[in-house]
Amino acid sequence: MKPRATIRDVAKAAGVSLGTASRALNRAGRVSEDAIAAVTKAARQLGYEPDAVAQSMRTRSTGVIGLLVSDFANPLYARIITSVEASMQAAGYTLLLANTHNDRKREKALVETFRGRRVDGLILGPCEGESPELLERIDADLPVVALDRDFSASGTGVHVDHYHGALQATRYLLNLGHTEIALLTPGSVLRPGRDRIAGFEDAYRERGLTPNPKLIRAERSAMDYAFSEALGLLSAPQAPTAFMCLGTRILSGVLQALRHSGRSVPDDASVLSIGDTDLSQLFSPAITSLTWDFEAVGTALAQLLLKRLDRDLKAEPERIVLTTQMVLRESVASAQAPKNKAAPGASARRASQKADRAG
Amino acid sequence: MKPRATIRDVAKAAGVSLGTASRALNRAGRVSEDAIAAVTKAARQLGYEPDAVAQSMRTRSTGVIGLLVSDFANPLYARIITSVEASMQAAGYTLLLANTHNDRKREKALVETFRGRRVDGLILGPCEGESPELLERIDADLPVVALDRDFSASGTGVHVDHYHGALQATRYLLNLGHTEIALLTPGSVLRPGRDRIAGFEDAYRERGLTPNPKLIRAERSAMDYAFSEALGLLSAPQAPTAFMCLGTRILSGVLQALRHSGRSVPDDASVLSIGDTDLSQLFSPAITSLTWDFEAVGTALAQLLLKRLDRDLKAEPERIVLTTQMVLRESVASAQAPKNKAAPGASARRASQKADRAG
DNA sequence: CTGTTAGCGCATTCAT
DNA sequence: ATGAATGCGCTAACAG
């Protein structure tokens, strides 16, 4: 196995100096056409490929950007990341990916690792115990774009407006006569979770109602956990008549609990998914969802980072807020007419108009 | 913004030479406790962090491994990659990820890019137009582990035994009296697709039957595509009584087509999912699946690569084959008694015993 | 045990 | 337009 050809070999083969070869390869500075031709040919013959590590060392730029989320297999992240990757790949960047498992310590270690690897930029998803200061400190010498994450006053990031989303979805359910609504979303310490809870509670308050804190379950995102939580909720005296569920796993757990307890959707209980997925679309009945444009989140993330990478020093921070949309399907019915199997679509449509007016 | 501290700064602050600082930091060679203490302290005070790029340049090792699949948002891959990431992260490696979109050219370009970035190893998922030669050429100077990919005689990789899986699943359906079975799996040019089709056809042949080639649809993996294909199949004179569907998207399309055409599962048509997902578990009726252990695939991949990284030169190639499992649920019924709603479980159980004997 | 030196492969400056 | 020289930050080989 012969050692890889270096630019030195190319220069020698082309009969020029090392510097000229470099300039010819990068078409930088003044080089003659002859030199370019000779160097290009020699490079091809030798199968020369530049050593990106050496280039990075020299140029202080790696062409790599780091992406840290709690779990990139989570469908809610997977599509965002795919979209980021597409944009960054088109711009010539490659993605260094790692999962934080929502562990602050691990995140910190990974940020250090990535920074040590001299990534050109960082995209950070929400993580438990996140602190704006940490982000700002990092951002001081490494461009960081935050995803749905606390970023205090300054800082660049993309945010989904979970607050107004939850507000709208909760209003929608309240309009349908539901008063006992369960909100299952993990991470009340995370920005998305907190904002959802705030919107949820405000929707109650604006009607002069007080949300039942026991119906807000926000611990972990796991199917079996959601299953037992939902089961517990259902067996309580004031069983919820509607469930708002974040993500595939929680939705799964709730649907199983409902099935297990012999209740049918939406006749016995309404279900609303936060974050639309395959499951919510295909489930029968199809699940009404509060969702947002995952691809757009990824594009926005990439765009912001690219811009920051471009004017490499500190441009003014920028943030993009994306709104949520309600996708009305079949899993939500009026609380007043639980047995009105005939026209769930009609009642949903009617309620949607109300919700639109209210929102 | 002050420039980052280098090892030189640390050495100076600690009052030792550059070499001693390096040895102290890496605890390599002979260093006095005093030196270690002084250097460690200085490093901490200066906030020193080694420059991984410079280290890589010197050591010819980056601690990065590249991972190329067609689409890492695909649930079938997402869990495997998560598992790989966990293993590699534990071993101190980081993952460089990119999607090939199943495009041979793009894959080639990405392999070049990764190689240029001097990744320590590569994990390659199946890709259209894949050639064993390509892999072997790469593997000549860069450890490569293949995932479900053609690798001719030599080469390291992890394979799922899709052939016997399809054979078993098809036998199972044949035993239940289905003769018109549709097989929807993308990529007949990819190893997994080819092997599945081979197993499918052999199950027919061993009964002296000839599979209907029109029932094997293997073009693309997209929900709308699967939907229209399934619809077309259902309106044909010899409509299939059972569907084998690879992955979430195709399964989704087929289920929608079934619903759209007013057929119920499993009474009017049986459905078997290849690759178990949230959707197949939660769908009602729950979908009987042919699946495999995604986490184990990831672990095996990491283990093989780590071993190859260890004895860094060419150890003998190694491959791991993982078997598939049938998960019997509610979406498959006997073709003979389509209206026997009472005991689908029972008939399935009976059939499963037959399948076991047959396999 | 420690200091000094020599590159890793490359882009870039400064001469010419 | 080009060649020679410099050094990015680090580890490893060598000499003390």
Side-chain angles (χ1 to χ4, degrees):
Chain A
M1 170 186 1
K2 58 181 177 303
R4 202 182 296 284
T6 73
I7 198 172
R8 190 168 237 113
D9 301 324
V10 174
K12 195 169 299 176
V16 299
S17 77
L18 189 151
T20 303
S22 172
R23 279 179 296 243
L25 256 8
N26 302 329
R27 277 158 183 63
R30 285 162 225 310
V31 216
S32 67
E33 288 303 321
D34 286 358
I36 293 187
V39 170
T40 308
K41 185 179 163 207
R44 195 160 4 95
Q45 285 179 344
L46 293 174
Y48 169 73
E49 252 195 291
D51 183 327
V53 172
Q55 287 179 319
S56 299
M57 163 103 114
R58 213 27 252 257
T59 62
R60 319 301 303 153
S61 156
T62 54
V64 173
I65 81 124
L67 179 29
L68 250 33
V69 294
S70 59
D71 171 18
F72 52 68
N74 183 331
L76 257 36
Y77 286 127
R79 289 174 57 189
I80 292 176
I81 296 177
T82 299
S83 166
V84 168
E85 196 268 342
S87 297
M88 296 311 280
Q89 186 176 322
Y93 286 88
T94 316
L95 247 47
L96 213 45
L97 260 182
N99 288 326
T100 64
H101 299 287
N102 204 11
D103 172 348
R104 169 70 179 286
K105 276 193 163 166
R106 193 187 291 243
E107 180 191 54
K108 211 175 154 191
L110 286 167
V111 168
E112 296 306 327
T113 302
F114 279 16
R115 152 177 299 204
R117 293 199 193 284
R118 298 296 183 263
V119 295
D120 288 343
L122 224 40
I123 296 178
L124 256 40
C127 183
E128 196 152 321
E130 61 183 41
S131 65
E133 308 85 60
L134 170 70
L135 285 189
E136 282 175 34
R137 196 162 53 70
I138 297 170
D139 192 58
D141 65 347
L142 178 63
V144 175
V145 176
L147 164 58
D148 260 342
R149 190 170 172 130
D150 250 340
F151 215 153
S152 78
S154 76
T156 296
V158 176
H159 286 184
V160 175
D161 191 352
H162 298 293
Y163 172 82
H164 284 101
L167 188 68
Q168 180 189 8
T170 310
R171 280 177 181 157
Y172 171 54
L173 292 173
L174 289 170
N175 279 342
L176 283 170
H178 295 279
T179 54
E180 302 296 313
I181 307 171
L183 173 63
L184 301 193
T185 169
S188 61
V189 290
L190 268 36
R191 211 195 68 89
R194 277 203 315 277
D195 286 2
R196 264 178 221 120
I197 292 172
F200 177 79
E201 294 179 335
D202 282 358
Y204 270 90
R205 292 204 193 95
E206 67 184 11
R207 272 175 178 65
L209 300 172
T210 307
N212 180 352
K214 299 202 167 178
L215 294 184
I216 301 179
R217 300 299 171 106
E219 315 285 311
R220 301 189 297 106
S221 169
M223 192 174 106
D224 51 354
Y225 169 77
F227 176 78
S228 58
E229 286 294 297
L231 231 42
L233 253 22
L234 286 168
S235 63
Q238 290 267 56
T241 60
F243 289 85
M244 295 172 59
C245 315
L246 173 78
T248 304
R249 288 195 282 263
I250 291 180
L251 177 61
S252 299
V254 169
L255 290 175
Q256 287 203 329
L258 253 15
R259 187 195 296 186
H260 183 268
S261 69
R263 292 173 218 233
S264 76
V265 178
D267 296 330
D268 302 322
S270 291
V271 173
L272 188 151
S273 166
I274 304 178
D276 204 19
T277 62
D278 290 325
L279 178 60
S280 36
Q281 288 173 48
L282 265 293
F283 195 79
S284 184
I287 308 292
T288 288
S289 300
L290 169 68
T291 194
W292 52 97
D293 185 336
F294 303 111
E295 277 69 34
V297 173
T299 309
L301 244 18
Q303 174 198 324
L304 249 38
L305 186 55
L306 252 13
K307 194 185 285 186
R308 234 174 140 57
L309 252 26
D310 205 33
R311 357 201 179 321
D312 50 2
L313 284 202
K314 314 212 51 169
E316 66 285 12
E318 204 174 340
R319 62 193 70 192
I320 295 179
V321 177
L322 298 175
T323 61
T324 58
Q325 298 87 42
M326 288 283 289
V327 181
L328 300 181
R329 290 200 273 247
E330 313 160 355
S331 64
V332 173
S334 160
Q336 314 305 44
K339 291 301 167 195
N340 180 14
K341 256 190 159 172
S347 69
R349 232 168 287 124
R350 188 166 7 94
S352 126
Q353 292 170 357
K354 276 194 213 160
D356 287 348
R357 252 189 288 126
Chain B
M1 171 188 356
K2 56 180 180 303
R4 202 183 297 283
T6 74
I7 198 173
R8 191 167 237 114
D9 302 324
V10 174
K12 197 169 298 177
V16 298
S17 77
L18 186 93
T20 303
S22 172
R23 281 179 295 242
L25 256 7
N26 302 328
R27 276 155 183 64
R30 287 161 223 309
V31 218
S32 66
E33 289 302 322
D34 287 359
I36 293 187
V39 169
T40 309
K41 185 178 161 206
R44 196 160 3 95
Q45 286 179 344
L46 292 175
Y48 170 73
E49 252 195 289
D51 183 327
V53 172
Q55 288 179 318
S56 300
M57 163 102 117
R58 209 33 250 249
T59 62
R60 320 300 304 153
S61 154
T62 55
V64 174
I65 81 124
L67 179 29
L68 250 33
V69 294
S70 59
D71 171 18
F72 54 67
N74 184 330
L76 257 35
Y77 286 127
R79 289 173 58 189
I80 292 176
I81 296 176
T82 299
S83 166
V84 169
E85 197 269 340
S87 297
M88 295 312 279
Q89 185 175 322
Y93 287 88
T94 317
L95 246 49
L96 213 44
L97 258 183
N99 288 325
T100 64
H101 299 286
N102 203 10
D103 172 348
R104 169 70 180 284
K105 276 193 162 166
R106 193 188 291 245
E107 181 191 54
K108 212 176 155 192
L110 286 167
V111 168
E112 295 306 327
T113 302
F114 281 15
R115 152 179 298 205
R117 293 198 192 287
R118 299 297 182 263
V119 295
D120 288 345
L122 225 39
I123 297 178
L124 256 39
C127 183
E128 196 152 321
E130 61 184 40
S131 65
E133 308 85 60
L134 170 71
L135 286 189
E136 281 175 35
R137 197 161 52 73
I138 297 170
D139 192 58
D141 63 346
L142 177 63
V144 175
V145 176
L147 164 60
D148 259 345
R149 191 172 172 129
D150 249 341
F151 215 153
S152 77
S154 75
T156 295
V158 176
H159 286 185
V160 174
D161 190 353
H162 298 292
Y163 172 82
H164 285 102
L167 187 70
Q168 182 189 6
T170 309
R171 279 177 182 157
Y172 172 53
L173 293 172
L174 289 170
N175 279 342
L176 283 169
H178 295 279
T179 53
E180 303 295 312
I181 306 171
L183 173 62
L184 301 193
T185 169
S188 60
V189 290
L190 268 38
R191 212 195 67 90
R194 276 203 315 276
D195 285 2
R196 266 180 219 118
I197 292 172
F200 178 79
E201 293 180 336
D202 283 356
Y204 270 90
R205 292 206 193 92
E206 67 185 11
R207 274 175 176 65
L209 301 173
T210 308
N212 179 352
K214 297 201 170 180
L215 294 184
I216 301 178
R217 300 297 170 106
E219 316 283 313
R220 303 188 295 105
S221 170
M223 191 175 105
D224 51 353
Y225 170 76
F227 176 78
S228 57
E229 287 292 297
L231 231 43
L233 253 23
L234 286 168
S235 63
Q238 290 267 55
T241 59
F243 289 84
M244 297 172 59
C245 315
L246 173 79
T248 303
R249 288 196 282 265
I250 291 179
L251 177 60
S252 298
V254 169
L255 290 175
Q256 286 202 329
L258 253 16
R259 188 196 296 186
H260 184 269
S261 68
R263 290 172 219 236
S264 76
V265 177
D267 296 330
D268 301 321
S270 292
V271 173
L272 188 151
S273 166
I274 303 177
D276 204 16
T277 62
D278 291 325
L279 178 61
S280 36
Q281 287 173 49
L282 264 293
F283 194 80
S284 181
I287 309 292
T288 288
S289 301
L290 169 67
T291 194
W292 52 98
D293 186 336
F294 303 111
E295 278 69 34
V297 173
T299 309
L301 244 18
Q303 174 198 323
L304 249 37
L305 186 55
L306 251 14
K307 194 184 287 185
R308 233 172 139 59
L309 252 26
D310 206 30
R311 0 203 177 316
D312 50 0
L313 284 203
K314 314 213 49 168
E316 66 285 13
E318 204 174 339
R319 62 194 69 192
I320 295 180
V321 177
L322 299 174
T323 60
T324 58
Q325 298 88 41
M326 288 283 289
V327 181
L328 300 180
R329 290 200 273 246
E330 313 160 356
S331 64
V332 172
S334 159
Q336 316 305 44
K339 290 301 167 194
N340 181 14
K341 257 189 160 170
S347 69
R349 231 168 288 123
R350 189 167 5 97
S352 125
Q353 292 169 355
K354 275 193 213 161
D356 286 348
R357 252 189 287 126

